[in-house]
Each structure stands twice: as C-alpha cells, then as structure tokens.
Amino acid sequence: MNIKSRLTLLFTMLVGSIMALFCLSVYYFYDQYREKQFYSFLNERAQTIAQLVEASQDISKADIEKIEKENNTIFLNEEITIYDGSDSLIFTGGNEKFTLSKTILAETRAGREIRTKHDKKEAIIIRHILQDHRKPWVVMAVANDVPGMNQLKRLREILVIGWLLSLILVGVAGWQFANDAIKPVSDIISQVNNISAGNLHEKVTVGREKDELAALAQTFNQMLGRLEIAFIAQKNFVSHASHELRTPLALIMSEAELSLMKDRASEEYKVALKGIWSEAREMNELVSRLLELARTEEQAFKVTFSKIRVDEVLWQAKASVQQKNPGYEVHIHYDQIPEDEEQLKRYGDESLLKTAFMNLMDNACKYSNDKTVNVFLKIQKDLIQIDFKDVGVGIAANELPYIFDTFYRSATTISKAGYGIGLALTKRIVNMQGASIEVESVLGSGTTFMLKFPPF
C-alpha cells in the first residue's frame, strides 16, 4: 500500500471513528432525554388517575377511559395499579395486576420514586398524598413509549445513513487531502530523479516555505551541495594533477629515452638517474600538495577538530621549516603573553594549521633576500593575530587579488621554484579553522600576511 492510500485510509478511519462516536453520543443522550420525559409523563398520569380514583371510589377503568377519550388524553398500553394506606389493592387499570412487596410500598410512602423496566415497558412507582391526610397511596404506572421509541428508531436510521454517507464523503475528501499532502513529495522525487553528476548545482524546490517538506528539500539541497563540492574537488584534483604532472613526467621520459638511445658511460647514467630522481621528488612533493588541497576542499579535517594552542603549533611549524631548510631563519615575537592560557587556544586541526604556518614561513624565507621571516603573535581582546613579515621581492598591487588562486604565481615569483598551490591551500585551511587571512605588500619592500583567529 502506497503512502497516498495509507493516508486516505487512516484519515477516513480517524474521521469515521470520531463521527461514529458523535452519532452514538447523540443517540445515547437523546434516549436519556426521551426516558426522562416519559417517566415525567408517567408520573403525571399516575397522579391524575389516583386523583380520579380518590374522587370516586367506585370508578372503573372503562369510566377513566371514557373521561380521557372525551378530553382526548387517552394513552394506549397503559397499566395503572393503586394500593391504599393499608397496602390493599384498590384499583387496577389494565389487564395485568402488579403485586408490590411490603418493602417497596414502605419505601415509596417514605418519598422514594422508583423507576424500573417491566417487559420492555417503563414503569414508575410513586406515592399519592390524599386530601384528607390519610396514609398515602402507592401508585404504579406501566406503559410503552410507542411515539418516543418510534422517534428513537427514526433517529437511529438517520444517524446510521448519515454516518455511511459522511464516510463516503470523508473518503473522497481524504483522497484529495492525501493528493495535496503527497504532491510536494512527488515533486521532490521528480526533481531528484532529474539531478545527475552533471547538474548537481540544481536545487530542489517546494511551494511551501516553512514545513517539514521544505526542511526535507533543504536537506536534499545541502546534501547536493556536499556532493557537488566532492565532485568539484575530485574534478579539480584530476585536472590539477594531470596539468601539473605532465611536465615532470615528460622530463623523466625524455631523460630516460635519451639515456637509452645509445650506450653511455656510468657517470652519464648517474647524471641521468639523478635528474630522474630530482623530477620524481618534485612530483612526490606536488602530489602531496594536491592531496592536501583536495582534503581541504572536501572539508574532511573537520572531524578532527580539537582545542589546540596556536602558539605551540607556531613553534612546531618553525622547527619543521628550519629542519627542512637549515638556511632559513624564522623569528617569533611575543609582544605580550596572556596570563590565561585559554586565550591562546582555539578549535582546529593541528596538522593542517601547522601546514598553513609552514607554507607562510617557507614562502617568506624563499622570496626574501636574507631568507628570514619575522612572526608576530598578538592577543587583542581574545582575538589572536599572527603576522608573517618578510623583506622580500613583494607583490604588485594589481596581483594581490589573485595570489590565493590555485596555481597562480606572480610575476616576481614565477622564476623561482614552486607550484602556486601553497597560498591557495593556506587560505582554505585558515578559513576552515574559522580564521581569516589578509595580505599587505609593497613591490620591492616585502610582504606581510595577517592571520586573525576570533574568539570561540
């Protein structure tokens, strides 16, 4: 059973149950009202007959019927029984004589009104106060409420037929309701079926703004966004790798081909192998950078976020840079060390943040004449700022907007070794840590990169 049919069935059953309960309630309360009215009528009838009997001790049932017929108040199927003060039966106004126990007679004379059933008829037992203040009589009236029962039967038929007709209408309304409720889901399914790897930028939309289906569509869009990022990262990685690895591969193949064209001396083979080894090392470095870049694009490092001390990561980066390049000088300056060490802590990925610091230190030393970078760590109202300052070649003002683009290299650095990946990788790492990076540079005078880490 599909959702539409299930919703229709559940809706019909729910509303049908409520309507059935309503019909039963109407029927029950009307029956209670009918019974109350009929007992009240029996009470009046019993008192009236008792008064007639009191007025004329010799009156008979036929006389009573004659009087009531003249007054047009005759009531069919009525049985009247009257006991006097000495518990003797003095009047029977029907075909059946009712014998009452001494206990019932005593309770009735004490003022109790007894209502009961007798052969599917309503019966009432009451006392009648005599005008001469003798001991009260006990009157029992038994009758069948034919008009009331006929009305109750008619009401029952109306309620049953009305309930069945309403159930059909509710079923039709429920089907329309299910159509309206499921239509956005059908639209979402149709839109999702039309989305493939080539159009992940498409968004799922629904006509409603703030309901669960709109939230479902938003969840789909967020998932599609993550898939799009993953596909773009994969595409970029393949594109970047194929673009950047083509040159070193061509050089390796050319070197090997030239070496194999004719027999050569062992020294010449050593030179060729050193060239191949050098290119392979460059390829390994490039592949490592590309993998780091792909990792940041997929935001995979978010799962490793933990509280780290930024200053300690800075010192680790300095040690790694100087160990890798003994000729580089990295100087870290503290203007003011906070007393509370928590001010130096942030949530982030330690290994990737270290990579970002190393990239900035390595670039500053690489493009400075003195191979030196000065790093300034500042704490300002819970804001951590780290400045990487060099006195290198600098960057032209018109090139500053592009220096964080992948594979972009400025005119002053294109002649030196590099891939144009470091700054792009650094910016992505810094942004994913919740920080920001800015740059100031004067051509020929040096460059300063400023990292700012906001509070938690």
Side-chain angles (χ1 to χ4, degrees):
M1 183 182 293
N2 57 31
I3 295 179
K4 186 186 297 184
S5 300
R6 190 180 299 114
L7 281 176
T8 303
L9 180 61
L10 290 175
F11 180 79
T12 304
M13 291 176 61
L14 177 62
V15 178
S17 300
I18 294 174
M19 292 179 60
L21 183 61
F22 173 76
C23 292
L24 290 174
S25 300
V26 170
Y27 182 81
Y28 172 78
F29 287 114
Y30 180 79
D31 184 46
Q32 294 295 309
Y33 173 76
R34 178 207 62 79
E35 187 177 89
K36 180 180 179 181
Q37 291 294 104
F38 188 65
Y39 276 124
S40 177
F41 177 79
L42 281 182
N43 190 317
E44 293 178 2
R45 289 289 299 164
Q47 293 290 357
T48 300
I49 299 300
Q51 289 174 1
L52 289 173
V53 173
E54 180 186 0
S56 178
Q57 291 290 343
D58 297 328
I59 195 168
S60 65
K61 179 182 178 183
D63 296 332
I64 293 174
E65 290 180 351
K66 183 178 179 181
I67 295 172
E68 290 184 341
K69 187 174 182 180
E70 292 175 354
N71 295 329
N72 198 26
T73 60
I74 190 168
F75 192 77
L76 300 178
N77 300 324
E78 182 182 81
E79 306 284 348
I80 301 292
T81 301
I82 301 177
Y83 287 82
D84 62 10
S86 59
D87 296 339
S88 299
L89 182 63
I90 62 173
F91 179 82
T92 300
N95 299 323
E96 185 175 355
K97 181 176 72 173
F98 297 96
T99 302
L100 301 178
S101 66
K102 297 290 185 178
T103 303
I104 293 178
L105 291 172
E107 291 178 354
T108 305
R109 285 195 181 94
R112 179 188 174 193
E113 181 180 293
I114 300 175
R115 296 180 179 183
T116 184
K117 299 283 186 181
H118 180 77
D119 293 337
K120 298 182 180 180
K121 295 181 180 181
E122 278 85 8
I124 189 171
I125 305 173
I126 61 172
R127 70 177 179 177
H128 173 68
I129 306 298
L130 300 173
Q131 294 181 0
D132 56 4
H133 303 291
R134 288 180 294 167
K135 196 174 183 179
W137 290 356
V138 175
V139 184
M140 180 177 182
V142 180
N144 191 0
D145 186 10
V146 176
M149 296 304 294
N150 288 336
Q151 291 177 358
L152 192 64
K153 179 181 177 182
R154 182 58 179 167
L155 176 64
R156 183 169 60 246
E157 294 173 351
I158 292 174
L159 290 175
V160 170
I161 295 173
W163 180 77
L164 292 175
L165 292 177
S166 299
L167 201 62
I168 296 174
L169 294 177
V170 167
V172 175
W175 183 259
Q176 295 298 324
F177 166 77
N179 275 333
D180 180 67
I182 296 299
K183 187 178 183 302
V185 177
S186 301
D187 293 341
I188 291 175
I189 293 173
S190 177
Q191 293 179 61
V192 172
N193 285 334
N194 292 328
I195 295 176
S196 61
N199 62 340
L200 288 174
H201 60 279
E202 296 286 343
K203 300 300 180 184
V204 177
T205 59
V206 292
R208 297 158 178 169
E209 295 182 358
K210 295 181 179 179
D211 61 4
E212 289 77 3
L213 292 176
L216 176 63
Q218 185 178 4
T219 302
F220 270 121
N221 290 335
Q222 292 173 352
M223 180 189 68
L224 291 173
R226 293 192 294 269
L227 288 175
E228 185 178 14
I229 291 174
F231 272 96
I232 291 175
Q234 183 184 38
K235 181 180 178 181
N236 288 342
F237 178 79
V238 173
S239 175
H240 296 164
S242 61
H243 178 268
E244 292 299 317
L245 294 176
R246 185 181 295 114
T247 299
L249 281 174
L251 291 174
I252 289 174
M253 292 173 63
S254 298
E255 190 74 28
E257 184 178 3
L258 289 174
S259 300
L260 294 172
M261 287 181 65
K262 62 179 182 178
D263 293 336
R264 300 178 183 275
S266 60
E267 290 299 323
E268 292 177 333
Y269 282 121
K270 288 181 180 180
V271 172
L273 289 174
K274 286 182 179 179
I276 293 174
W277 177 82
S278 177
E279 293 297 333
R281 185 182 63 178
E282 293 294 326
M283 286 177 60
N284 182 65
E285 179 70 17
L286 177 58
V287 169
S288 298
R289 289 302 184 93
L290 288 172
L291 288 173
E292 289 177 345
L293 190 63
R295 186 184 175 200
T296 59
E297 288 177 342
E298 295 174 5
Q299 303 180 7
F301 64 91
K302 274 191 172 182
V303 296
T304 64
F305 270 16
S306 60
K307 187 180 286 189
I308 57 177
R309 280 191 55 159
V310 177
D311 59 330
E312 291 181 354
V313 180
L314 203 59
W315 282 101
Q316 293 173 13
K318 171 187 175 180
S320 297
V321 169
Q322 292 185 331
Q323 182 180 7
K324 184 178 178 180
N325 302 280
Y328 289 177
E329 293 290 336
V330 179
H331 302 293
I332 299 178
H333 306 274
Y334 287 90
D335 288 343
Q336 184 177 359
I337 302 298
E339 295 181 0
D340 185 6
E341 292 184 357
E342 290 296 320
Q343 294 183 0
L344 290 168
K345 294 181 180 180
R346 293 293 184 271
Y347 281 103
D349 184 281
E350 183 174 342
S351 63
L352 285 178
L353 190 59
K354 177 182 175 182
T355 299
F357 290 163
M358 288 176 62
N359 286 340
L360 293 173
M361 294 175 181
D362 186 78
N363 282 351
C365 293
K366 183 190 299 182
Y367 301 118
S368 296
N369 295 328
D370 57 0
K371 307 299 180 184
T372 300
V373 59
N374 288 286
V375 181
F376 299 90
L377 177 62
K378 307 173 185 177
I379 306 294
Q380 300 175 342
K381 296 181 180 180
D382 294 332
L383 178 71
I384 300 177
Q385 180 171 334
I386 306 176
D387 296 341
F388 297 81
K389 185 177 180 61
D390 65 58
V391 289
V393 295
I395 305 171
N398 61 335
E399 292 183 313
L400 287 177
Y402 311 105
I403 61 172
F404 295 111
D405 293 345
T406 307
F407 297 115
Y408 180 82
R409 304 191 67 194
S410 65
T412 55
T413 61
I414 197 169
S415 60
K416 297 181 181 289
Y419 310 105
I421 296 178
L423 287 180
L425 176 62
T426 299
K427 182 176 177 62
R428 291 176 186 175
I429 292 175
V430 169
N431 289 342
M432 294 306 174
Q433 309 283 325
S436 63
I437 183 170
E438 300 174 1
V439 58
E440 294 178 354
S441 183
V442 178
L443 195 61
S445 299
T447 304
T448 301
F449 286 91
M450 296 164 287
L451 272 62
K452 296 179 181 180
F453 293 84
F456 290 115

